[in-house]
Amino acid sequence: MKRKLLLLPAMLLAGMSFAQDVELDAIEKIKKEGLENSKVEEIAFNLIDKSGARLMNSEGYERAMDYAVEQLTEWGLKDAKKEAFGEFGRGWEMEKTYVAMTKPYYMPFIAVPQAWTESTKGEVTGKVVFLDVKSEDELAQYKGKLKGAIVAIKPSGSQNATFTADATRFTAEQLHGMEHPAPRSGGNGGYTPEMIAEFRAARALSQKVTEFIVNEGPALIIKGVNGRHGTLFTSSPRGFMKDAPKGIPTLETSPEYVNLMARLNSNGVEVEVEAEVQTRYRTDDLQGYNVIAEIPGSDPTLKAEIVMRGGHLDSWHGATGATDNAAGCIVMMEAVRILQATGLQPKRTVRIALWGGEEEGLYGSRGYVKKHFGDPQTKEMKPDHEKMSAYYNIDNGTGRVRGIYLQGNAAVEPIFNAWFLPLDDIVEDRTITISNTGGTDHQSFDALGLPGFQFIQDPVEYNTRTHHTNMDMYERLELDDLKQMSVVIASFVYNTAQRDEMLPRKLANK
């Protein structure tokens, strides 16, 4: 089902007029280059396999930045560089990780250290103390029993069988539901006061437990984390900060292993493990960096205006960050390559950004926006704020584009409808929704009243197997989807650069 235009009938003529402004020959060149001469595999190998995990300020992140700067320069982009966005904090490297149950029998565990965790004092061995705390009062029973111990924390959630597919694509019905989202009841994202109170209580208890464990001084924490049959979701304390207090070495492991040890222990079977974690901090340069490059505008009047696209280059450390978010960076790099290879000359300056520190709180894009466009807190704007036309983002995995979120900017709907029309052969059931979506770098622009957009993407395995997991590897990429995304991004960026006027902004932010 193709929904060519989603506008009210009174706006159809306006949509047709926007369609007449699209340079169809240029879009066909973009499609041909992106679909027939794609370089996404080459870019993917360099960003993922060759660079390795790209935890912020790690050696892998530096390798990826160096590659991106060199490659963008080779393609003819100007002023390709690593640009500091402000202080971030410590880098961190894993040098050795190992954990296994040694009694009542030997079994190696799938495990990943928490990012920025400390090293153990060599190999640690011994019995396991199981921590199962439902209230702060229950901590007293462990007082004086954890010093130098190996502590295991049971996982929450269910580890039962799953009866739904790991990988999915949006159906036409699901996309249609996005076009007309049901209004949320009340504020707070639909959460009831009781639910919010439960969340806050659970968070407060977790903080109390963490403080207690640190004060007791165990040798190692083995934490069962939620996952799906060998896939585990990694996390991190805020240990990247330069003044972060010393913590306890912590390994996160598949929930089944901790549950196994707990069942053995509760049935009177003695459990012992051996483990070693060796890590290293990087403190020579606490600055954080983005990668920035641009195609200068060709029009003497419009070249001072800017069209941006980006994705975040940093990842977590449990895998090589293929879908989160090498995929977005691959697409953005390929999109600028397409524009260069086709010989198209955008009127406005087209700028690419590969962001750092997204995983810890949008540090890279927020720092860049504050430096170049204005401060969202004080509302003091820089001169370039008036020259910024739009920012486009990819950060929802490897899935192909199915539409776009308008972030409440209704004025761009007829424009985007027209831009999607010549792409309807590669964007199935494309959907435009007024809804907002969060959790990634377009929010840094939106917070300053600048048009910032994230595309709707097929989920594929993002929420089940890849997002922040130990399985976010090259094999999880859908290469044909990346090619399609690259064509869509290149087309949207080119159309934005060619418009007589910049994209309209939300009325509330003018």
Side-chain angles (χ1 to χ4, degrees), residues 252-316:
E252 296 180 314
T253 187
S254 296
E256 291 86 351
Y257 296 126
V258 175
N259 287 339
L260 165 65
M261 293 192 296
R263 286 192 300 271
L264 288 167
N265 181 73
S266 65
N267 283 280
V269 179
E270 193 171 276
V271 175
E272 293 187 4
V273 303
E274 63 182 20
E276 185 173 3
V277 179
Q278 294 301 321
T279 64
R280 171 170 51 88
Y281 290 105
R282 307 179 75 231
T283 57
D284 289 345
D285 186 356
L286 298 177
Q287 290 293 301
Y289 295 87
N290 302 314
V291 172
I292 306 293
E294 65 184 32
I295 303 172
S298 62
D299 185 278
T301 303
L302 299 180
K303 66 181 181 181
E305 297 175 356
I306 306 160
V307 183
M308 289 192 70
R309 92 284 294 284
H312 71 87
L313 188 59
D314 66 308
S315 74
W316 285 113

Side-chain angles (χ1 to χ4, degrees), residues 306-308 351 355 365-376 379-391 444-445 448 450 505:
I306 306 160
V307 183
M308 289 192 70
R351 189 173 296 165
W355 306 116
S365 58
R366 284 175 172 166
Y368 182 89
V369 165
K370 186 174 181 179
K371 180 178 178 181
H372 290 273
F373 300 118
D375 189 330
K379 304 300 180 184
E380 294 180 11
M381 304 303 174
K382 307 279 188 179
D384 278 354
H385 185 272
E386 294 304 315
K387 300 175 184 177
M388 178 67 179
S389 183
Y391 171 77
S444 299
F445 293 83
L448 208 62
L450 297 169
R505 300 181 180 184

Side-chain angles (χ1 to χ4, degrees), residues 228-250:
R228 183 176 288 198
H229 315 329
T231 297
L232 61 95
F233 292 82
T234 59
S235 66
S236 173
R238 300 192 59 82
F240 62 90
M241 297 179 175
K242 65 181 180 181
D243 55 355
K246 189 173 182 179
I248 304 300
T250 301

Side-chain angles (χ1 to χ4, degrees), residues 34-224:
L35 298 177
E36 297 180 13
N37 301 313
S38 174
K39 302 296 182 186
V40 298
E41 289 184 62
E42 177 184 320
I43 302 168
F45 169 76
N46 281 284
L47 284 184
I48 298 169
D49 291 345
K50 195 170 181 181
S51 297
R54 302 176 308 281
L55 189 72
M56 187 60 192
N57 276 2
S58 68
E59 293 172 0
Y61 185 75
E62 287 195 5
R63 286 190 291 268
M65 284 197 298
D66 289 341
Y67 160 71
V69 170
E70 181 180 353
Q71 184 63 83
L72 292 168
T73 301
E74 184 179 316
W75 288 336
L77 275 76
K78 305 301 181 185
D79 200 23
K81 61 187 177 184
K82 294 182 280 189
E83 180 180 301
F85 59 76
E87 184 174 294
F88 173 77
R90 305 184 293 179
W92 178 82
E93 299 293 327
M94 291 186 291
E95 297 189 329
K96 183 177 182 180
T97 300
Y98 166 73
V99 60
M101 184 173 71
T102 56
K103 191 175 182 179
Y105 46 83
Y106 181 85
M107 178 178 285
F109 290 174
I110 299 170
V112 177
Q114 278 192 333
W116 290 284
T117 199
E118 311 284 346
S119 298
T120 57
K121 295 178 180 179
E123 184 180 280
V124 296
T125 62
K127 297 179 182 179
V128 179
V129 178
F130 293 88
L131 212 66
D132 190 8
V133 176
K134 303 276 192 309
S135 69
E136 187 177 349
D137 293 340
E138 296 178 4
L139 288 171
Q141 63 185 302
Y142 300 100
K143 186 71 176 176
K145 298 179 181 178
L146 304 185
K147 182 69 175 178
I150 298 170
V151 175
I153 300 176
K154 292 183 66 175
S156 60
S158 170
Q159 287 78 51
N160 294 333
T162 54
F163 294 94
T164 55
D166 285 346
T168 59
R169 294 194 184 277
F170 284 126
T171 65
E173 291 73 20
Q174 288 172 320
L175 291 167
H176 184 65
M178 292 183 191
E179 292 171 13
H180 309 287
R184 290 179 176 178
S185 57
N188 300 314
Y191 294 113
T192 65
E194 293 77 14
M195 294 168 67
I196 294 172
E198 288 180 9
F199 294 152
R200 289 175 176 168
R203 183 172 59 188
L205 177 60
S206 177
Q207 291 172 343
K208 291 288 186 183
V209 171
T210 299
E211 292 171 3
F212 177 84
I213 294 174
V214 170
N215 290 333
E216 290 294 299
L220 176 69
I221 298 171
I222 301 174
K223 186 178 181 182

